[in-house]
Amino acid sequence: MELVVARIGRAHGIKGEVTVEVRTDEPELRLSPGAVLRTDPASTGPLTVATGRVHSGRLLLRFEGVKDRTGAEGLRNTLLIADVDPTELPEEPDEYYDHQLMDLDVVLEDGTEVGRITEISHLPSQDLFIVERPDGTEVMIPFVEEIVAEIDLEEQRCVITPPPGLIDDRAEVVSTRDAEAGAPSGDEA
């Protein structure tokens, strides 16, 4: 199975290093020196990682055969793709690879169908499931334990307990201002 593990950013320095936007939870495994990665577009690869280091919080990679800034700039926006055994599991029991979660049926605790996971968006604060509803609309479900109650890979389903308003418009909006508007204020007496 193929997984996008990073996107190459701009060149760093003059010796062929590039910044990378990491798209894997295991960069030390997928982007280590010696790793051979396919690319998109395919014409820029395959690329073999020669060195890697962290500088100011960003991962910098240098690839074999890329020796200067011009060569590094030519790789900008290239996606790096790793081959992953589809049966491979993350080390932690409550962690999942994106490919394991794609196409899971999303249901409420009572079994009511919500939709199907079509995309996973990795944001700085949390991950989001993009769920396509039966009517073709989409809803975003935060991948947090307060909402995602269970992931059952054998049954290919994700059980959620959403707060009111997350997947429907039945949320109750309660405002203390509304409650105070109905009661006489001390000035009206």
Side-chain angles (χ1 to χ4, degrees):
M1 169 172 285
E2 297 179 347
L3 292 178
V4 174
V5 294
R7 183 184 66 79
I8 297 176
R10 64 178 184 237
H12 179 84
I14 59 172
K15 296 183 180 178
E17 284 185 311
V18 294
T19 61
V20 292
E21 173 189 313
V22 177
R23 295 188 181 175
T24 177
D25 289 338
E26 302 169 320
E28 66 285 345
L29 174 66
R30 309 278 182 225
L31 301 170
S32 63
V36 179
L37 304 163
R38 285 201 307 286
T39 60
D40 182 9
S43 59
T44 59
L47 294 173
T48 301
V49 177
T51 64
R53 66 185 178 102
V54 176
H55 175 71
S56 298
R58 295 216 63 151
L59 179 61
L60 302 178
L61 296 180
R62 191 174 55 75
F63 299 100
E64 291 180 7
V66 180
K67 304 202 181 299
D68 59 20
R69 184 175 186 88
T70 304
E73 276 297 332
L75 298 174
R76 192 172 192 160
N77 292 322
T78 297
L79 296 177
L80 300 175
I81 302 165
D83 281 321
V84 177
D85 180 350
T87 61
E88 182 180 326
L89 298 174
E91 292 178 13
E92 297 296 320
D94 289 338
E95 290 183 3
Y96 303 93
Y97 291 131
D98 287 3
H99 71 271
Q100 294 174 297
L101 301 171
M102 292 298 292
D103 293 323
L104 290 183
D105 292 324
V106 179
V107 298
L108 300 178
E109 281 185 310
D110 65 6
T112 304
E113 179 184 12
V114 175
R116 182 178 53 84
I117 298 173
T118 57
E119 184 181 337
I120 299 162
S121 182
H122 300 282
L123 303 176
S125 60
Q126 68 192 14
D127 295 335
L128 286 177
F129 292 155
I130 310 302
V131 177
E132 184 177 317
R133 310 230 15 204
D135 65 5
T137 61
E138 289 184 338
V139 63
M140 291 183 255
I141 308 288
F143 187 17
V144 294
E145 67 182 85
E146 294 83 10
I147 296 172
V148 178
E150 178 186 0
I151 301 282
D152 187 338
L153 296 178
E154 278 190 28
E155 294 293 321
Q156 286 291 288
R157 70 183 189 139
C158 169
V159 179
I160 63 170
T161 56
L166 183 64
I167 61 171
D168 56 29
D169 55 4
R170 293 178 287 180
E172 275 188 47
V173 179
V174 179
S175 168
T176 55
R177 208 172 340 161
D178 294 339
E180 291 171 0
S185 68
D187 297 341
E188 296 175 9

